[in-house]
Structure formats: structure tokens, C-alpha cells
């Protein structure tokens, strides 16, 4: 699979590179665009402030430019938290998308969004302050309305960004479970 993997609001940190290496070791080709142009952050608040400074439109522009050279190959879009929301937006707008792997995040869905049974897998903490139960229920129904084939995996007691070993949210057991299921998902595409 050809995978476009987007980083979280913390920036392109070692955990994102390690995830890309894990995917490559499983036989996938992976790109990890740096939407923050080298900037990384120690707190979610600092990352969100920088994200707000850049603006959603500019961030999406950077993501589209990063993905465009490879989209003809049929990409699986993937991302962590903020990166997941970007991946979702791009996947729903790319008729050649092969799949969508969301780690720790989702995004609003345009009313006009429509896909042809796009495989979607979401992995989130339970509870998650950024992905509440009510939001996830609504998101799931909207994604199904678009035509997506959606699977959701919840990890009780894990922190929001539980796959990043350098953050306080890290949960080794939940992270390993996530990667096992996610790699199976990618192999099925």
C-alpha cells in the first residue's frame, strides 16, 4: 500500500517517523509530510496555537500539495489526531483513495461528501476529551451516509495520543493492540 501519514499538532516527531518505519517494515510505502515545516511542540496547547496561526486552509493546502504527486497510485490516507482530520478530509475528496486510517482523531464531514465503500478504520481512547461519545456517534453515522465502510476501535483508559511513547498519554498495551489491528486492516486493502 501507498500511505500518506500526517503528523499531529505536536509536529513531525520521532513517534511519527517510528510509525512510518513500522509500516515500511510491513511492506508499505510511506510518506510523512512535514506540514509545520520543521516545527515541533512540547505541549498540545503550543501546537494548537501554531496550527491556528497557520490556519486550516493553509494546512490543507500543504497537505494536498504533499499528497498530489502520489494520489494517482491510490493512497491510503492516515494520520494522528490533527493529522487524522487532515487525512479524512483528503480521503473524502480523492476518488482514488484506497483507505483511511485514523489514529486519535476525526473531522467534520461535508454534506456533499460521497465515497464508494471507502474502508475506514478509527482508533481512539475511551474516553477521549477531543473525541467524545456523542461526537463519535454522529461522526460514525455521517461517515456511513457518505458510503464509507467504517470500523471503530476504542481503548479504555488510554490517553488521547496513546501511541506516542514520548508523551504522557502513552499506553503500550493499547498502542500495540492498535498497530496489530491497523496492520491487518492495511493488509486487507
Amino acid at each position: 500500500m501507498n500511505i500518506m501519514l500526517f503528523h499531529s499538532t505536536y509536529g513531525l516527531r520521532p513517534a511519527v517517523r517510528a510509525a512510518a518505519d513500522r509500516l515500511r517494515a510491513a511492506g508499505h510505502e510511506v510518506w510523512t509530510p512535514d506540514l509545520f515545516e520543521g516545527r515541533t511542540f512540547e505541549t498540545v496547547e503550543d501546537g494548537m496555537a501554531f496550527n491556528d496561526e497557520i490556519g486550516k486552509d493553509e494546512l490543507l493546502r500543504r497537505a494536498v500539495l504533499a499528497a498530489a504527486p502520489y494520489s494517482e497510485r491510490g493512497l491510503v490516507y492516515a494520520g494522528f489526531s490533527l493529522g487524522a482530520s487532515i487525512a479524512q478530509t483528503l480521503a473524502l475528496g480523492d476518488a482514488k483513495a484506497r483507505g483511511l486510517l485514523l489514529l486519535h482523531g476525526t473531522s467534520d464531514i461535508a454534506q456533499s461528501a460521497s465515497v464508494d465503500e471507502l474502508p475506514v478504520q478509527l482508533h481512539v481512547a475511551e474516553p477521549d476529551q477531543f473525541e467524545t461519545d456523542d461526537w463519535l456517534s454522529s461522526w460514525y453515522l455521517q461517515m456511513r451516509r457518505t458510503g464509507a465502510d467504517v470500523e471503530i476501535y476504542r481503548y479504555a483508559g488510554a490517553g488521547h495520543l496513546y501511541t506516542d511513547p514520548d508523551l504522557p498519554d502513552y499506553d503500550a498495551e493499547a498502542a500495540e493492540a492498535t498497530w496489530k489491528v491497523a496492520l491487518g486492516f492495511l493488509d486487507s486493502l
Side-chain angles (χ1 to χ4, degrees):
M1 264 317 107
N2 297 300
I3 303 170
M4 185 65 53
L5 181 62
F6 294 104
H7 61 75
S8 75
T9 196
Y10 286 95
L12 187 55
R13 297 166 44 87
V16 179
R17 290 187 177 96
D21 289 343
R22 180 180 280 220
L23 294 168
R24 288 182 188 110
H28 304 290
E29 190 161 357
V30 184
W31 296 273
T32 55
D34 186 351
L35 303 180
F36 287 178
E37 299 176 332
R39 300 280 308 269
T40 59
F41 301 94
E42 295 301 315
T43 69
V44 72
E45 293 80 14
D46 288 345
M48 290 173 79
F50 184 71
N51 178 38
D52 290 344
E53 186 180 307
I54 293 172
K56 184 178 181 178
D57 290 344
E58 175 60 17
L59 209 55
L60 282 173
R61 186 189 73 79
R62 291 176 184 184
V64 167
L65 288 174
Y70 310 104
S71 65
E72 284 297 315
R73 299 180 185 195
L75 290 171
V76 172
Y77 291 92
F80 298 94
S81 194
L82 168 70
S85 70
I86 292 166
Q88 177 186 305
T89 300
L90 268 59
L92 292 179
D94 182 352
K96 294 186 185 298
R98 298 280 306 274
L100 176 59
L101 176 60
L102 303 171
L103 302 163
H104 322 294
T106 61
S107 183
D108 293 331
I109 301 167
Q111 288 289 0
S112 60
S114 177
V115 295
D116 187 16
E117 296 183 16
L118 178 71
V120 178
Q121 194 173 84
L122 169 63
H123 297 266
V124 290
E126 182 178 27
D128 187 314
Q129 74 268 23
F130 299 107
E131 301 290 326
T132 65
D133 290 345
D134 287 347
W135 167 260
L136 286 174
S137 294
S138 174
W139 175 86
Y140 175 81
L141 293 172
Q142 290 178 56
M143 282 299 281
R144 295 289 298 150
R145 179 189 43 77
T146 70
D149 181 11
V150 184
E151 299 176 334
I152 299 177
Y153 294 86
R154 306 287 306 271
Y155 300 87
H160 174 66
L161 248 166
Y162 64 83
T163 59
D164 188 328
D166 297 324
L167 295 176
D169 285 349
Y170 182 62
D171 183 311
E173 187 177 327
E176 283 308 308
T178 294
W179 285 116
K180 182 179 179 182
V181 173
L183 288 169
F185 170 70
L186 293 169
D187 286 345
S188 75
L189 300 179

